[in-house]
Amino acid sequence: MQSILRWSLEHSGDNATGDRPPAERKDLDPAIIDLILGKPDAEQMKEDMAIAVDESKDEEERINALDHLEMLIEHIDNANDLEKLKLWEPLQSLVTKESSTLDIKTQGLWVIGTAVQNNPSAQDSFMSHNPLPTLLSFLDPSSPSAAIRAKAIYALSGLLKHNAPAVEALSGPEVDGWIRLRNALQDPSISVRRKTVFLLSSLLTPSTAVTSEAAPPDALRIAGNADASSSGSEAPNILSPDQRPAATNDPIFANSHSAHLHNPSRHNTAQLTLAAFRKYNIMDAVISGLTSPLPHGNDGENTEADADFEEKAIHLLYTYSVTCRGELSKTQKDKVKIWIQSDKEKTSESQLLEKWNLSKEEYTILDGKLL
């Protein structure tokens, strides 16, 4: 502080006494500037990564560095700078190296998930490093850490949501993405199951209005569509998403969301997800999770159904059968009907609807799909 005060006095220009000539101007020490204004975010990001990858550092110090990096890349511009600063490679290396501890890997996955969330530019940058096999490998239920499996789902959610090219890559050779996600619905950790069913529901939810007259208008509430007024054969829908290019007269500026302007259908993952549900029998796993839930807890001590998973799975069932008009087999319908009837015998219908967060009309529509 004394050096700052001295510099201020020397450059104040106040020489009323005339006893001495004005002091020669000196540039302020960069360290003092950093002290006053703080280091630029890009510099902090590089320093955080340098600490995180330095295996000579204490593990807690490395984790704290990743935690600080995660805070910085919550800002979308900083997340995009991961590519410019060439930080994706060391970040992915952290979660793949055998020498990295489970806590280091978990924190690294957290950084990844935050960086790519709702950020097409970061999604594309990260996808160039072929991350899906790595992220999906963490979903192996034999992994000793439920926390790392949950963070892997978090990272996958950020990468896959509103990103049709990444969703399409789940079906690629040597990826087995849909099979791994299906198996995650039976994970020993209920937290992993909840996150997985929510991710699948998000991917299946159409991002444009379903325009068929056969689709009930109430489907829009759960689907979360923004424009219920679109109509006519020209309007995009789940089965024919908007693939029109951006208007050629309008410039497309390089920013985080320019990918959506170049390819408007990029954000619609519903069609790909619906096809995967059919091909990989994912609805069987969803219904099994509803009607015959596996015990959960550290030692499988919790045998009661989980209300949070149940609500999310019911909404997924609604989105699949009502919003997307997916077909259920007779066996699937019978399982769900028997399960619902069993629950009705334990409590009132109104209490069930409150637990599932369904309106009476939505329940009636869903019930009709089970006939």
Side-chain angles (χ1 to χ4, degrees):
M1 292 301 294
Q2 289 181 348
S3 61
I4 297 175
L5 178 59
R6 187 182 306 113
W7 183 91
S8 177
L9 292 173
E10 290 176 352
H11 295 82
S12 64
D14 184 6
N15 193 28
T17 62
D19 294 337
R20 55 177 179 168
E24 181 182 353
R25 183 180 181 88
K26 298 178 182 178
D27 290 333
L28 190 61
D29 188 332
I32 297 178
I33 296 178
D34 287 344
L35 182 65
I36 298 172
L37 302 179
K39 293 181 181 179
D41 286 356
E43 191 65 29
Q44 294 183 64
M45 290 167 63
K46 289 190 289 186
E47 291 181 358
D48 286 338
M49 185 59 71
I51 294 172
V53 300
D54 187 350
E55 297 185 2
S56 68
K57 299 286 187 183
D58 180 79
E59 181 183 39
E60 183 177 357
E61 184 179 0
R62 297 172 68 193
I63 290 175
N64 287 339
L66 286 170
D67 184 56
H68 185 254
L69 176 61
E70 193 271 337
M71 180 192 70
L72 289 173
I73 53 92
E74 287 177 355
H75 192 294
I76 195 167
D77 290 335
N78 288 340
N80 291 334
D81 281 346
L82 287 172
E83 178 69 14
K84 299 175 185 176
L85 299 174
K86 301 187 183 302
L87 297 182
W88 277 120
E89 293 90 342
L91 182 56
Q92 187 167 11
S93 176
L94 271 178
V95 301
T96 57
K97 289 181 68 173
E98 291 186 6
S99 58
S100 292
T101 65
L102 289 176
D103 288 341
I104 291 287
K105 291 181 178 181
T106 301
Q107 199 70 30
L109 289 170
W110 195 353
V111 175
I112 290 170
T114 300
V116 297
Q117 194 173 61
N118 298 318
N119 187 342
S121 178
Q123 288 174 341
D124 289 347
S125 295
F126 188 44
M127 279 297 292
S128 69
H129 299 282
N130 190 31
L132 284 177
T134 297
L135 297 180
L136 290 162
S137 69
F138 287 112
L139 299 185
D140 189 336
S142 64
S143 166
S145 170
I148 201 169
R149 298 198 300 275
K151 275 295 181 285
I153 291 291
Y154 173 71
L156 284 165
S157 295
L159 184 61
L160 297 173
K161 287 180 182 178
H162 312 298
N163 188 1
V167 172
E168 188 172 15
L170 286 174
S171 301
E174 301 180 3
V175 176
D176 292 333
W178 292 109
I179 294 175
R180 290 181 180 271
L181 288 174
R182 183 190 66 194
N183 293 342
L185 290 168
Q186 303 291 328
D187 192 275
S189 167
I190 193 62
S191 176
V192 174
R193 291 185 224 170
R194 292 173 189 154
K195 292 177 185 295
T196 303
V197 75
F198 185 75
L199 169 59
L200 291 171
S201 187
S202 298
L203 297 179
L204 190 61
T205 299
S207 54
T208 52
V210 177
T211 59
S212 169
E213 293 181 0
D218 198 53
L220 300 179
R221 188 183 80 85
I222 289 184
N225 293 305
D227 183 9
S229 63
S230 299
S231 60
S233 59
E234 297 300 319
N237 57 54
I238 182 178
L239 300 179
S240 58
D242 186 2
Q243 299 186 18
R244 294 168 294 181
T248 55
N249 293 331
D250 297 331
I252 297 177
F253 299 101
N255 57 41
S256 299
H257 290 78
S258 60
H260 283 315
L261 298 177
H262 284 291
N263 179 14
S265 66
R266 169 196 173 97
H267 65 295
N268 195 341
T269 60
Q271 187 178 25
L272 293 166
T273 305
L274 182 61
F277 264 60
R278 293 165 175 162
K279 181 176 180 179
Y280 297 100
N281 300 318
I282 293 176
M283 190 50 66
D284 278 344
V286 174
I287 292 175
S288 177
L290 267 177
T291 60
S292 305
L294 294 176
H296 55 93
N298 292 333
D299 300 310
E301 67 275 12
N302 298 319
T303 58
E304 295 294 322
D306 180 73
D308 191 12
F309 177 88
E310 198 171 286
E311 178 189 342
K312 289 177 170 62
I314 283 287
H315 279 235
L316 174 54
L317 179 62
Y318 186 101
T319 301
Y320 175 82
S321 61
V322 178
T323 309
C324 298
R325 304 187 292 280
E327 292 294 328
L328 295 170
S329 69
K330 184 179 184 305
T331 300
Q332 291 172 335
K333 292 178 181 179
D334 289 344
K335 280 186 177 180
V336 176
K337 284 191 293 187
I338 292 172
W339 173 73
I340 290 178
Q341 185 58 41
S342 175
D343 268 14
K344 280 184 176 180
E345 294 173 358
K346 301 173 187 175
T347 185
S348 67
E349 182 178 292
S350 61
Q351 289 175 317
L352 277 181
L353 298 186
E354 182 179 357
K355 181 172 73 167
W356 295 338
N357 192 24
L358 286 180
S359 69
K360 175 65 175 178
E361 184 180 1
E362 288 165 344
Y363 172 73
T364 301
I365 295 170
L366 177 60
D367 189 53
K369 291 292 182 178
L370 302 176
L371 298 178

